[in-house]
DNA sequence: TTAGCGGGCGCG
DNA sequence: AAAGCGCGCCCGCTAA
């Protein structure tokens, strides 16, 4: 039965009784690249297990019973073998859950696809449709919808009993299709030349295939280990704040209904609009985006509420309610429900989502845990080191600004960094001609003792900081004026001063836009590229957005490259074997590790070392890092 | 019941 | 005229 692909070979099936099993084991052991997939009990990486698995190589495809997995231990233990997956980390977790550790390379077709077609879906069946132009029935099309009543296990068990051939065919096809996609994308990646700073250096990245094979493939393994470790949670801490939070939120809800004079749900923007704009006839500050339907409504967001908090009691109450409800819903119950039996949370680090090459984190998202300054319950304190371990938390300091300095070659900014100055203070000093020491003194003076001149110094630093970020993000003068609470004319004047002080930065942004206009792409340091079709749009607003993306992707994407290389080098360094150090989290410019106390000081120094030197050659500016050891995320930062 | 959208907001 | 980049999750609401 070949209902999916008329050119595919016949599907084989093996269990422990199959006479050909030994020959298959020998062949898999000897084959350098093998595609592999699992059919599993579910999607939870620390819990679910395989029910069937499948392999494909050359002109063979087969489904296998889980009972024969251990016959392949030699193949799984081979560090040089390349295992081809669609969603590699997931399958590697599922296999690890039944004791199968993969020593070989985790080669992920979804990551391949993301390097070439970042705007498309990288799901296996969608990649097939996109690359080969035919629709392939997915799991739910084949076996039925996964619902509360029917788990993946139920559906597979049903197919097992009713149509085993279909089950075998489906499973084998996942591995087979993955292999076809791998080979097609390998060719495409090899034919895609790219611009990398490391073209003629040891990394020697000349094509997107080089980038994939030398950077993204080892990165998948580093991330797998990170996900597998998971971060330890102090459940008692979460449990202890939950009831207080609920009580506080309920009190507020009662008070809000009383103030409204009727039963209302403060989480309903619809009801809030009725209250503010129909009942009270308040003037809206702005309209919402509208989205696909194009229906724009007056906004009741935080800025609106803050604007009216002194005049309208309800606004103030809602502000408190919003922040408490967010913390409770997303971070207290949301995290509590995802803790594994060992008290650890295993996020997923998605390597194929962000268009700039950054990671994203999901299930749960560990990259948006509130900062202590915005969090009355200090939830970061709930992420702790295991007994006998320390947490090491190391951040890059102003990584994107440093990369802007390096990419532009702006000597003024490079000097500021080389002097070890605070970048925003240094920039303020350069741009507005104020002595650095004076700004520094102002920053260290208590709020209530500031002189008028010192206020000016602090305003200068804030301006320099926002113009700097604004440059990276493409912020306009209007937005800057709003952020700094100054007039648009004043904002324009400050932007001009910045450009005069740092002409090479201005030239860099122009050059970035010109390159993207010419090639259609924005490139990062390592040669990752992002298609920017907006830059050729006939619509001015789209084109402007394309220009912002052209500049931002170079900086944000290169920052992602830096952290990515640091993670890869750390993974390869043997710091785990020498010191027992475990990677736990990456939060864009920050790495968290868990290290046995006896070695934590030593390992922490080595982590900083790798982070500061992520490339075969150093950049023209140092990459400064800072951080601490501690018992929790709160302590170690 | 489920799926998708919009609004809002947490992080870098 | 207006113009901030990159993510993921919660909730309410509506349609199927």
């Amino acid at each position: 039965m070949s209902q999916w692909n008329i050119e595919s070979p016949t599907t084989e099936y093996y269990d422990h009784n199959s006479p050909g099993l030994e020959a298959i084991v020998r062949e898999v052991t000897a084959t350098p690249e093998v595609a592999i997939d699992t059919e599993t009990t579910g999607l939870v990486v620390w819990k679910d297990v395989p029910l069937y698995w499948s392999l494909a190589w050359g002109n063979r495809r087969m489904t296998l019973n889980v009972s024969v997995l251990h016959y392949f231990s030699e193949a799984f233990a081979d560090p040089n073998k390349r295992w081809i997956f669609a969603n590699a980390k997931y399958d590697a977790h599922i296999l690890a859950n039944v004791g199968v550790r993969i020593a070989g390379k985790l080669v992920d077709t979804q990551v391949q696809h993301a390097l070439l077609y970042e705007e498309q879906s990288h799901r296996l069946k969608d990649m097939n449709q996109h690359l080969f132009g035919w629709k392939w029935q997915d799991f739910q099309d084949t076996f039925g919808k996964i619902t509360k009543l029917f788990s993946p296990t139920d559906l597979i068990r049903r197919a097992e009993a009713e149509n085993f051939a279909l089950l075998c065919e489906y499973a084998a096809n996942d591995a087979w299709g993955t292999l076809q996609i791998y080979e097609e994308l390998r060719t495409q990646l090899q034919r895609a030349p790219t611009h990398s700073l490391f073209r003629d250096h040891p990394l020697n990245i000349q094509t997107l295939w080089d980038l994939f094979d030398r950077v993204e493939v080892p990165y998948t393994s580093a991330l797998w280990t990170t996900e597998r470790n998971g971060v330890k949670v102090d459940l008692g801490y979460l449990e202890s704040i939950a009831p207080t939070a609920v009580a506080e939120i309920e009190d507020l809800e009662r008070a809000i209904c009383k103030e409204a004079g009727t039963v209302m749900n403060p989480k309903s923007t619809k009801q809030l609009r009725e209250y503010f704009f129909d009942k009270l006839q308040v003037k809206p500050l702005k309209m919402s985006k509208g989205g696909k339907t194009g229906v724009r409504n007056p906004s009741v967001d935080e800025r609106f509420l803050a604007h009216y908090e002194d005049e309208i009691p309800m606004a103030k109450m809602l502000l408190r309610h919003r922040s408490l409800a967010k913390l409770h819903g997303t971070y207290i119950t949301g995290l509590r429900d995802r803790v594994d039996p060992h008290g650890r949370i295993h996020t997923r680090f998605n390597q194929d989502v962000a268009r700039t090459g950054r990671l994203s984190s999901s299930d749960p998202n560990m990259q948006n845990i509130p900062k202590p300054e915005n969090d009355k319950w200090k939830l970061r304190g709930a992420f702790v080191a295991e007994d006998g371990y320390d947490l090491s938390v190391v951040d890059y300091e102003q990584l994107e600004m440093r990369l802007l300095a390096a990419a532009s070659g702006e000597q003024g900014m490079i000097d500021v960094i080389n002097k070890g100055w605070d970048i925003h203070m240094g920039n303020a000093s350069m741009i507005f001609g104020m002595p650095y020491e004076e700004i520094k003194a102002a920053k260290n003076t208590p709020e209530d003792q500031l002189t008028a001149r010192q206020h000016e110094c602090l305003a200068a630093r804030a301006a320099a900081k926002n113009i700097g970020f604004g440059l990276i993000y493409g912020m306009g003068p209007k937005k800057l004026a709003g952020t700094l609470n100054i007039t648009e004319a004043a904002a324009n004047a400050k932007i001009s001063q910045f450009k005069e002080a740092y002409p090479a930065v201005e030239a860099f942004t122009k050059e970035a836009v010109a390159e993207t206009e010419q090639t259609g792409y924005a490139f990062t340091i390592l040669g990752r590229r992002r298609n920017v079709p907006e830059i050729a749009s006939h619509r001015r607003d789209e084109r402007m957005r394309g220009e912002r993306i052209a500049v931002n992707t170079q900086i944000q994407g290169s920052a992602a490259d830096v952290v990515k290389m640091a993670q890869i080098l750390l993974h390869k360094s043997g710091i785990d074997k020498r010191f027992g150090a475990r990677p736990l989290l990456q939060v864009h410019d920050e790495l968290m590790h868990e290290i046995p106390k006896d070695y934590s000081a030593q390992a922490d120094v080595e982590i900083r070392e790798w982070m500061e030197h992520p490339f075969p050659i150093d950049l023209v500016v140092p990459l400064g890092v800072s951080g601490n050891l501690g018992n929790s995320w709160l302590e170690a930062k």
Side-chain angles (χ1 to χ4, degrees), chain A residues 163-343:
Chain A
N163 194 346
F164 189 63
L166 177 72
L167 175 60
C168 290
E169 201 63 32
Y170 179 86
N173 205 55
D174 275 1
W176 172 256
T178 300
L179 182 64
Q180 308 315 306
I181 288 167
Y182 167 69
E183 288 173 354
E184 169 63 23
L185 290 174
R186 180 179 56 197
T187 306
Q188 291 192 20
L189 288 164
Q190 284 167 342
R191 287 181 185 153
T194 191
H195 306 309
S196 165
L197 190 62
F198 302 106
R199 197 182 169 88
D200 300 314
H201 293 282
L203 271 174
N204 197 23
I205 292 166
Q206 308 221 12
T207 66
L208 289 184
W209 172 259
D210 297 333
L211 178 67
F212 176 69
D213 205 44
R214 290 168 207 168
V215 179
E216 299 297 347
V217 170
Y219 197 37
T220 304
S221 289
L223 293 175
W224 184 83
T225 302
T226 310
E227 292 182 353
R228 194 77 192 161
N229 287 333
V231 55
K232 173 101 174 166
V233 175
D234 181 351
L235 250 184
Y237 186 77
L238 286 186
E239 299 282 5
S240 72
I241 35 187
T244 339
V246 171
E248 237 178 291
I249 291 166
E250 283 174 353
D251 282 351
L252 261 173
E253 272 166 16
R254 274 190 291 275
I256 285 166
C257 290
K258 197 172 167 205
E259 175 68 23
T262 170
V263 176
M264 72 176 289
N265 182 352
K267 290 177 192 140
S268 163
T269 49
K270 192 171 171 236
Q271 291 178 37
L272 293 186
R273 280 198 298 269
E274 280 159 14
Y275 179 80
F276 284 109
F277 306 119
D278 297 341
K279 189 168 173 193
L280 298 191
Q281 294 286 311
V282 176
K283 195 169 131 249
L285 290 187
K286 67 168 184 187
M287 302 299 276
S288 65
K289 281 266 176 216
K292 285 187 177 173
T293 56
V295 181
R296 293 160 59 89
N297 286 308
S299 177
V300 284
D301 64 5
E302 194 179 337
R303 272 200 50 200
F304 169 84
L305 296 176
H307 187 263
Y308 288 109
E309 70 175 323
D310 294 332
E311 301 162 47
I312 309 173
M314 179 67 93
K316 197 163 203 151
M317 297 160 87
L318 285 168
L319 277 172
R320 277 195 61 209
H321 183 273
R322 281 262 171 90
S323 114
L324 295 185
K326 173 100 182 175
L327 286 169
H328 178 254
T330 305
Y331 301 108
I332 299 180
T333 62
L335 292 172
R336 189 185 53 193
D337 296 345
R338 291 182 180 277
V339 177
D340 82 359
H342 299 100

Side-chain angles (χ1 to χ4, degrees), chain A residues 500-519:
Chain A
E500 278 164 35
Y502 290 149
V505 171
E506 164 81 345
F508 162 77
T509 58
K510 287 223 163 71
E511 172 64 26
V513 169
E515 186 186 28
T516 301
E517 278 171 343
Q518 204 174 11
T519 63

Side-chain angles (χ1 to χ4, degrees), chain A residues 110-126:
Chain A
Q110 299 189 174
V111 175
Q112 277 184 298
H113 196 255
L115 287 182
L116 285 159
Y117 306 107
E118 69 279 1
E119 72 287 359
Q120 304 234 8
S121 161
H122 313 307
R123 290 171 44 193
L124 177 58
K125 276 72 175 178
D126 294 334

